[in-house]
Amino acid sequence: AQSVTQPDIHITVSEGASLELRCNYSYGATPYLFWYVQSPGQGLQLLLKYFSGDTLVQGIKGFEAEFKRSQSSFNLRKPSVHWSDAAEYFCAVVSPSGGSYIPTFGRGTSLIVHP
Amino acid sequence: GAGVSQSPRYKVAKRGQDVALRCDPISGHVSLFWYQQALGQGPEFLTYFQNEAQLDKSGLPSDRFFAERPEGSVSTLKIQRTQQEDSAVYLCASSLVGAGKIYEQYFGPGTRLTVT
């Protein structure tokens, strides 16, 4: 069965520091990959997505992610974190090979930003 | 423009009561998804509509859960005889279709259901 792992439940960084949130997936073929952000009391917002092609993808709010097939990973990065980035981050995967469009989400990583 | 809206934002129900949760998708979005998000977890798929057709309801946890979208716009998720394990945030998302657009889902703020 397909699965998505976000190994870090909480990540704490200082404002201005760099950030990397980890995501690993288990699929038979290359899936479509997504990162979402959820602020308290809000719905999820799509940060970026990877379908194919260049393995480094740029998203909104200064985020980027890199797809590494050999490691089955799609880690999210930001070079300098702002206090407003404090939120819950979800990695999601879709396996389109079977015609599916239903994402499987990881359990999320809570980002805490210290001033 | 207006995003996805959901109502009510918070709902407290006594065990055994029926509840109805409403979702207003973005105008023109053909696809509509419902998810259940338990505390500390990621969203889990419940059901999917394309226009008024319910194409996938494989994620509905029991026959107490029922969803409809009769005119292809507003959708309602109904839970009958609520149980404590139904306590969660229920998220609605909508999207266009075609050229990968179905994967770009726009989420509402959710309805937090607490069953006491």
Side-chain angles (χ1 to χ4, degrees):
Chain A
Q2 57 198 35
S3 67
V4 181
T5 302
Q6 293 181 247
D8 303 305
I9 297 175
H10 303 283
I11 290 279
T12 300
V13 298
S14 297
E15 191 169 16
S18 63
L19 170 71
E20 182 169 29
L21 302 182
R22 296 184 289 166
C23 174
N24 294 92
Y25 63 89
S26 174
Y27 271 84
T30 300
Y32 292 171
L33 298 156
F34 307 82
W35 275 99
Y36 287 86
V37 60
Q38 185 178 34
S39 298
Q42 303 295 316
L44 280 70
Q45 181 182 20
L46 180 65
L47 285 175
L48 46 77
K49 61 185 182 291
Y50 172 80
F51 289 169
S52 65
D54 192 347
T55 56
L56 184 64
V57 293
Q58 302 297 320
I60 62 170
K61 305 186 180 188
F63 286 93
E64 66 178 25
E66 185 172 14
F67 169 59
K68 293 186 177 180
R69 185 191 307 273
S70 62
Q71 298 177 19
S72 297
S73 70
F74 189 57
N75 293 349
L76 182 71
R77 301 195 294 246
K78 187 169 185 178
S80 178
V81 170
H82 188 262
W83 64 267
S84 60
D85 293 325
E88 192 84 16
Y89 291 81
F90 294 94
C91 179
V93 177
V94 174
S95 178
S97 58
S100 176
Y101 36 75
I102 307 301
T104 298
F105 288 86
R107 63 173 297 166
T109 297
S110 178
L111 174 64
I112 301 163
V113 181
H114 280 170
Chain B
V4 178
S5 61
Q6 293 186 244
S7 60
R9 291 294 310 277
Y10 303 91
K11 178 69 179 178
V12 178
K14 292 189 189 312
R15 189 162 57 94
Q17 282 185 333
D18 298 348
V19 298
L21 312 180
R22 176 187 169 104
C23 172
D24 280 88
I26 293 173
S27 178
H29 278 197
V30 170
S31 295
L32 187 145
F33 301 78
W34 282 100
Y35 297 88
Q36 181 188 60
Q37 185 177 20
L39 189 63
Q41 301 295 319
E44 291 195 0
F45 169 76
L46 293 176
T47 187
Y48 165 68
F49 289 86
Q50 190 170 109
N51 294 307
E52 68 278 6
Q54 190 175 21
L55 299 186
D56 190 334
K57 54 182 181 179
S58 61
L60 296 177
S62 77
D63 58 8
R64 296 186 295 104
F65 286 71
F66 172 76
E68 60 183 6
R69 194 186 185 197
E71 297 180 359
S73 178
V74 171
S75 178
T76 303
L77 177 67
K78 297 179 180 178
I79 309 173
Q80 296 176 324
R81 304 181 303 282
T82 52
Q83 304 294 316
Q84 281 197 314
E85 61 263 28
D86 300 335
S87 295
V89 175
Y90 291 85
L91 295 168
C92 175
S94 69
S95 70
L96 298 167
V97 293
K101 292 297 185 184
I102 193 171
Y103 302 106
E104 297 183 19
Q105 297 184 23
Y106 293 81
F107 282 79
T111 294
R112 181 177 297 278
L113 172 65
T114 303
V115 181
T116 61

PDB file of all heavy atoms in Angstrom, chain B residues 45-67:
ATOM      1  N   PHE B  45      -9.030  11.025   2.800  1.00  0.00           N
ATOM      2  CA  PHE B  45     -10.078  11.135   1.780  1.00  0.00           C
ATOM      3  C   PHE B  45     -11.349  10.429   2.222  1.00  0.00           C
ATOM      4  O   PHE B  45     -11.319   9.321   2.765  1.00  0.00           O
ATOM      5  CB  PHE B  45      -9.561  10.512   0.484  1.00  0.00           C
ATOM      6  CG  PHE B  45     -10.606  10.318  -0.572  1.00  0.00           C
ATOM      7  CD1 PHE B  45     -11.072  11.378  -1.317  1.00  0.00           C
ATOM      8  CD2 PHE B  45     -11.137   9.056  -0.809  1.00  0.00           C
ATOM      9  CE1 PHE B  45     -12.042  11.205  -2.284  1.00  0.00           C
ATOM     10  CE2 PHE B  45     -12.104   8.857  -1.782  1.00  0.00           C
ATOM     11  CZ  PHE B  45     -12.556   9.933  -2.523  1.00  0.00           C
ATOM     12  N   LEU B  46     -12.472  11.100   1.977  1.00  0.00           N
ATOM     13  CA  LEU B  46     -13.778  10.496   2.223  1.00  0.00           C
ATOM     14  C   LEU B  46     -14.503  10.186   0.922  1.00  0.00           C
ATOM     15  O   LEU B  46     -14.889   9.043   0.663  1.00  0.00           O
ATOM     16  CB  LEU B  46     -14.648  11.427   3.070  1.00  0.00           C
ATOM     17  CG  LEU B  46     -14.204  11.671   4.516  1.00  0.00           C
ATOM     18  CD1 LEU B  46     -15.126  12.692   5.178  1.00  0.00           C
ATOM     19  CD2 LEU B  46     -14.207  10.360   5.303  1.00  0.00           C
ATOM     20  N   THR B  47     -14.712  11.223   0.089  1.00  0.00           N
ATOM     21  CA  THR B  47     -15.511  11.031  -1.108  1.00  0.00           C
ATOM     22  C   THR B  47     -15.213  12.129  -2.121  1.00  0.00           C
ATOM     23  O   THR B  47     -14.670  13.182  -1.782  1.00  0.00           O
ATOM     24  CB  THR B  47     -17.011  11.003  -0.763  1.00  0.00           C
ATOM     25  OG1 THR B  47     -17.770  10.645  -1.925  1.00  0.00           O
ATOM     26  CG2 THR B  47     -17.499  12.358  -0.244  1.00  0.00           C
ATOM     27  N   TYR B  48     -15.582  11.846  -3.398  1.00  0.00           N
ATOM     28  CA  TYR B  48     -15.272  12.753  -4.499  1.00  0.00           C
ATOM     29  C   TYR B  48     -16.475  12.868  -5.437  1.00  0.00           C
ATOM     30  O   TYR B  48     -17.125  11.863  -5.761  1.00  0.00           O
ATOM     31  CB  TYR B  48     -14.069  12.220  -5.277  1.00  0.00           C
ATOM     32  CG  TYR B  48     -13.873  12.862  -6.632  1.00  0.00           C
ATOM     33  CD1 TYR B  48     -13.510  14.194  -6.740  1.00  0.00           C
ATOM     34  CD2 TYR B  48     -14.063  12.122  -7.810  1.00  0.00           C
ATOM     35  CE1 TYR B  48     -13.333  14.782  -7.983  1.00  0.00           C
ATOM     36  CE2 TYR B  48     -13.885  12.707  -9.052  1.00  0.00           C
ATOM     37  CZ  TYR B  48     -13.517  14.033  -9.131  1.00  0.00           C
ATOM     38  OH  TYR B  48     -13.349  14.626 -10.359  1.00  0.00           O
ATOM     39  N   PHE B  49     -16.741  14.099  -5.842  1.00  0.00           N
ATOM     40  CA  PHE B  49     -17.791  14.382  -6.812  1.00  0.00           C
ATOM     41  C   PHE B  49     -17.195  15.043  -8.043  1.00  0.00           C
ATOM     42  O   PHE B  49     -16.283  15.872  -7.951  1.00  0.00           O
ATOM     43  CB  PHE B  49     -18.830  15.364  -6.234  1.00  0.00           C
ATOM     44  CG  PHE B  49     -19.697  14.789  -5.164  1.00  0.00           C
ATOM     45  CD1 PHE B  49     -19.282  14.788  -3.837  1.00  0.00           C
ATOM     46  CD2 PHE B  49     -20.939  14.257  -5.464  1.00  0.00           C
ATOM     47  CE1 PHE B  49     -20.088  14.272  -2.838  1.00  0.00           C
ATOM     48  CE2 PHE B  49     -21.755  13.740  -4.476  1.00  0.00           C
ATOM     49  CZ  PHE B  49     -21.322  13.746  -3.154  1.00  0.00           C
ATOM     50  N   GLN B  50     -17.742  14.681  -9.184  1.00  0.00           N
ATOM     51  CA  GLN B  50     -17.507  15.448 -10.397  1.00  0.00           C
ATOM     52  C   GLN B  50     -18.876  15.926 -10.844  1.00  0.00           C
ATOM     53  O   GLN B  50     -19.731  15.121 -11.234  1.00  0.00           O
ATOM     54  CB  GLN B  50     -16.825  14.611 -11.472  1.00  0.00           C
ATOM     55  CG  GLN B  50     -16.363  15.453 -12.658  1.00  0.00           C
ATOM     56  CD  GLN B  50     -15.483  14.670 -13.612  1.00  0.00           C
ATOM     57  OE1 GLN B  50     -15.896  14.340 -14.710  1.00  0.00           O
ATOM     58  NE2 GLN B  50     -14.276  14.351 -13.193  1.00  0.00           N
ATOM     59  N   ASN B  51     -19.048  17.230 -10.800  1.00  0.00           N
ATOM     60  CA  ASN B  51     -20.397  17.805 -10.932  1.00  0.00           C
ATOM     61  C   ASN B  51     -21.310  17.161  -9.882  1.00  0.00           C
ATOM     62  O   ASN B  51     -20.948  17.104  -8.716  1.00  0.00           O
ATOM     63  CB  ASN B  51     -20.910  17.641 -12.353  1.00  0.00           C
ATOM     64  CG  ASN B  51     -20.093  18.448 -13.340  1.00  0.00           C
ATOM     65  OD1 ASN B  51     -19.904  19.651 -13.160  1.00  0.00           O
ATOM     66  ND2 ASN B  51     -19.576  17.791 -14.363  1.00  0.00           N
ATOM     67  N   GLU B  52     -22.447  16.633 -10.289  1.00  0.00           N
ATOM     68  CA  GLU B  52     -23.354  16.060  -9.292  1.00  0.00           C
ATOM     69  C   GLU B  52     -23.116  14.571  -9.066  1.00  0.00           C
ATOM     70  O   GLU B  52     -23.725  13.959  -8.193  1.00  0.00           O
ATOM     71  CB  GLU B  52     -24.813  16.294  -9.719  1.00  0.00           C
ATOM     72  CG  GLU B  52     -25.252  15.518 -10.950  1.00  0.00           C
ATOM     73  CD  GLU B  52     -24.852  16.189 -12.242  1.00  0.00           C
ATOM     74  OE1 GLU B  52     -24.136  17.214 -12.186  1.00  0.00           O
ATOM     75  OE2 GLU B  52     -25.247  15.699 -13.318  1.00  0.00           O
ATOM     76  N   ALA B  53     -22.217  13.999  -9.851  1.00  0.00           N
ATOM     77  CA  ALA B  53     -21.974  12.562  -9.750  1.00  0.00           C
ATOM     78  C   ALA B  53     -20.935  12.254  -8.676  1.00  0.00           C
ATOM     79  O   ALA B  53     -19.829  12.795  -8.692  1.00  0.00           O
ATOM     80  CB  ALA B  53     -21.504  12.039 -11.105  1.00  0.00           C
ATOM     81  N   GLN B  54     -21.294  11.358  -7.797  1.00  0.00           N
ATOM     82  CA  GLN B  54     -20.367  10.883  -6.767  1.00  0.00           C
ATOM     83  C   GLN B  54     -19.573   9.731  -7.359  1.00  0.00           C
ATOM     84  O   GLN B  54     -20.057   8.606  -7.423  1.00  0.00           O
ATOM     85  CB  GLN B  54     -21.131  10.460  -5.516  1.00  0.00           C
ATOM     86  CG  GLN B  54     -20.242  10.173  -4.316  1.00  0.00           C
ATOM     87  CD  GLN B  54     -21.036   9.872  -3.046  1.00  0.00           C
ATOM     88  OE1 GLN B  54     -22.202   9.510  -3.108  1.00  0.00           O
ATOM     89  NE2 GLN B  54     -20.419  10.042  -1.883  1.00  0.00           N
ATOM     90  N   LEU B  55     -18.357  10.020  -7.772  1.00  0.00           N
ATOM     91  CA  LEU B  55     -17.562   9.033  -8.488  1.00  0.00           C
ATOM     92  C   LEU B  55     -16.766   8.111  -7.568  1.00  0.00           C
ATOM     93  O   LEU B  55     -16.340   7.038  -7.998  1.00  0.00           O
ATOM     94  CB  LEU B  55     -16.612   9.724  -9.473  1.00  0.00           C
ATOM     95  CG  LEU B  55     -17.267  10.567 -10.574  1.00  0.00           C
ATOM     96  CD1 LEU B  55     -16.215  11.069 -11.555  1.00  0.00           C
ATOM     97  CD2 LEU B  55     -18.352   9.782 -11.286  1.00  0.00           C
ATOM     98  N   ASP B  56     -16.540   8.544  -6.352  1.00  0.00           N
ATOM     99  CA  ASP B  56     -15.724   7.729  -5.457  1.00  0.00           C
ATOM    100  C   ASP B  56     -16.185   8.002  -4.034  1.00  0.00           C
ATOM    101  O   ASP B  56     -16.156   9.150  -3.599  1.00  0.00           O
ATOM    102  CB  ASP B  56     -14.240   8.085  -5.640  1.00  0.00           C
ATOM    103  CG  ASP B  56     -13.292   7.127  -4.929  1.00  0.00           C
ATOM    104  OD1 ASP B  56     -13.696   6.501  -3.924  1.00  0.00           O
ATOM    105  OD2 ASP B  56     -12.136   7.017  -5.361  1.00  0.00           O
ATOM    106  N   LYS B  57     -16.624   6.981  -3.369  1.00  0.00           N
ATOM    107  CA  LYS B  57     -16.984   7.122  -1.950  1.00  0.00           C
ATOM    108  C   LYS B  57     -16.285   6.064  -1.112  1.00  0.00           C
ATOM    109  O   LYS B  57     -16.756   5.681  -0.045  1.00  0.00           O
ATOM    110  CB  LYS B  57     -18.489   7.068  -1.756  1.00  0.00           C
ATOM    111  CG  LYS B  57     -19.201   5.855  -2.327  1.00  0.00           C
ATOM    112  CD  LYS B  57     -20.694   5.973  -2.096  1.00  0.00           C
ATOM    113  CE  LYS B  57     -21.437   4.760  -2.647  1.00  0.00           C
ATOM    114  NZ  LYS B  57     -22.899   4.854  -2.403  1.00  0.00           N
ATOM    115  N   SER B  58     -15.147   5.637  -1.602  1.00  0.00           N
ATOM    116  CA  SER B  58     -14.428   4.554  -0.951  1.00  0.00           C
ATOM    117  C   SER B  58     -13.893   4.912   0.427  1.00  0.00           C
ATOM    118  O   SER B  58     -13.593   4.033   1.227  1.00  0.00           O
ATOM    119  CB  SER B  58     -13.261   4.097  -1.841  1.00  0.00           C
ATOM    120  OG  SER B  58     -12.347   5.156  -2.044  1.00  0.00           O
ATOM    121  N   GLY B  59     -13.760   6.202   0.732  1.00  0.00           N
ATOM    122  CA  GLY B  59     -13.214   6.607   2.015  1.00  0.00           C
ATOM    123  C   GLY B  59     -14.239   6.805   3.115  1.00  0.00           C
ATOM    124  O   GLY B  59     -13.869   7.019   4.272  1.00  0.00           O
ATOM    125  N   LEU B  60     -15.511   6.735   2.790  1.00  0.00           N
ATOM    126  CA  LEU B  60     -16.535   6.912   3.827  1.00  0.00           C
ATOM    127  C   LEU B  60     -16.413   5.782   4.831  1.00  0.00           C
ATOM    128  O   LEU B  60     -16.454   4.607   4.458  1.00  0.00           O
ATOM    129  CB  LEU B  60     -17.927   6.941   3.209  1.00  0.00           C
ATOM    130  CG  LEU B  60     -18.203   8.118   2.273  1.00  0.00           C
ATOM    131  CD1 LEU B  60     -19.588   8.000   1.649  1.00  0.00           C
ATOM    132  CD2 LEU B  60     -18.062   9.453   3.012  1.00  0.00           C
ATOM    133  N   PRO B  61     -16.270   6.098   6.118  1.00  0.00           N
ATOM    134  CA  PRO B  61     -15.933   5.058   7.100  1.00  0.00           C
ATOM    135  C   PRO B  61     -17.079   4.121   7.452  1.00  0.00           C
ATOM    136  O   PRO B  61     -16.819   3.010   7.927  1.00  0.00           O
ATOM    137  CB  PRO B  61     -15.482   5.861   8.330  1.00  0.00           C
ATOM    138  CG  PRO B  61     -16.075   7.211   8.164  1.00  0.00           C
ATOM    139  CD  PRO B  61     -16.216   7.463   6.712  1.00  0.00           C
ATOM    140  N   SER B  62     -18.295   4.540   7.256  1.00  0.00           N
ATOM    141  CA  SER B  62     -19.426   3.661   7.557  1.00  0.00           C
ATOM    142  C   SER B  62     -20.655   4.157   6.807  1.00  0.00           C
ATOM    143  O   SER B  62     -20.630   5.233   6.199  1.00  0.00           O
ATOM    144  CB  SER B  62     -19.697   3.639   9.063  1.00  0.00           C
ATOM    145  OG  SER B  62     -20.376   4.812   9.460  1.00  0.00           O
ATOM    146  N   ASP B  63     -21.703   3.368   6.865  1.00  0.00           N
ATOM    147  CA  ASP B  63     -22.932   3.780   6.172  1.00  0.00           C
ATOM    148  C   ASP B  63     -23.658   4.892   6.918  1.00  0.00           C
ATOM    149  O   ASP B  63     -24.731   5.331   6.493  1.00  0.00           O
ATOM    150  CB  ASP B  63     -23.855   2.576   5.938  1.00  0.00           C
ATOM    151  CG  ASP B  63     -24.242   1.881   7.227  1.00  0.00           C
ATOM    152  OD1 ASP B  63     -23.929   2.401   8.318  1.00  0.00           O
ATOM    153  OD2 ASP B  63     -24.854   0.803   7.145  1.00  0.00           O
ATOM    154  N   ARG B  64     -23.086   5.361   8.023  1.00  0.00           N
ATOM    155  CA  ARG B  64     -23.674   6.531   8.693  1.00  0.00           C
ATOM    156  C   ARG B  64     -23.284   7.829   7.980  1.00  0.00           C
ATOM    157  O   ARG B  64     -23.866   8.872   8.245  1.00  0.00           O
ATOM    158  CB  ARG B  64     -23.193   6.585  10.150  1.00  0.00           C
ATOM    159  CG  ARG B  64     -23.656   5.416  11.007  1.00  0.00           C
ATOM    160  CD  ARG B  64     -23.273   5.615  12.475  1.00  0.00           C
ATOM    161  NE  ARG B  64     -21.822   5.621  12.680  1.00  0.00           N
ATOM    162  CZ  ARG B  64     -21.114   6.725  12.898  1.00  0.00           C
ATOM    163  NH1 ARG B  64     -21.704   7.911  12.952  1.00  0.00           N
ATOM    164  NH2 ARG B  64     -19.803   6.641  13.085  1.00  0.00           N
ATOM    165  N   PHE B  65     -22.277   7.724   7.121  1.00  0.00           N
ATOM    166  CA  PHE B  65     -21.794   8.898   6.402  1.00  0.00           C
ATOM    167  C   PHE B  65     -22.418   8.917   5.011  1.00  0.00           C
ATOM    168  O   PHE B  65     -22.393   7.907   4.292  1.00  0.00           O
ATOM    169  CB  PHE B  65     -20.268   8.851   6.272  1.00  0.00           C
ATOM    170  CG  PHE B  65     -19.533   9.155   7.539  1.00  0.00           C
ATOM    171  CD1 PHE B  65     -19.534   8.260   8.602  1.00  0.00           C
ATOM    172  CD2 PHE B  65     -18.834  10.343   7.685  1.00  0.00           C
ATOM    173  CE1 PHE B  65     -18.853   8.545   9.780  1.00  0.00           C
ATOM    174  CE2 PHE B  65     -18.141  10.634   8.848  1.00  0.00           C
ATOM    175  CZ  PHE B  65     -18.149   9.735   9.894  1.00  0.00           C
ATOM    176  N   PHE B  66     -22.927  10.089   4.645  1.00  0.00           N
ATOM    177  CA  PHE B  66     -23.581  10.238   3.358  1.00  0.00           C
ATOM    178  C   PHE B  66     -23.272  11.623   2.807  1.00  0.00           C
ATOM    179  O   PHE B  66     -23.307  12.605   3.538  1.00  0.00           O
ATOM    180  CB  PHE B  66     -25.103  10.061   3.543  1.00  0.00           C
ATOM    181  CG  PHE B  66     -25.918  10.381   2.341  1.00  0.00           C
ATOM    182  CD1 PHE B  66     -25.983   9.494   1.281  1.00  0.00           C
ATOM    183  CD2 PHE B  66     -26.636  11.568   2.259  1.00  0.00           C
ATOM    184  CE1 PHE B  66     -26.741   9.786   0.164  1.00  0.00           C
ATOM    185  CE2 PHE B  66     -27.387  11.872   1.146  1.00  0.00           C
ATOM    186  CZ  PHE B  66     -27.438  10.975   0.099  1.00  0.00           C
ATOM    187  N   ALA B  67     -22.964  11.715   1.529  1.00  0.00           N
ATOM    188  CA  ALA B  67     -22.671  13.009   0.924  1.00  0.00           C
ATOM    189  C   ALA B  67     -23.489  13.174  -0.340  1.00  0.00           C
ATOM    190  O   ALA B  67     -23.795  12.190  -1.025  1.00  0.00           O
ATOM    191  CB  ALA B  67     -21.186  13.135   0.621  1.00  0.00           C
TER     192      ALA B  67
END
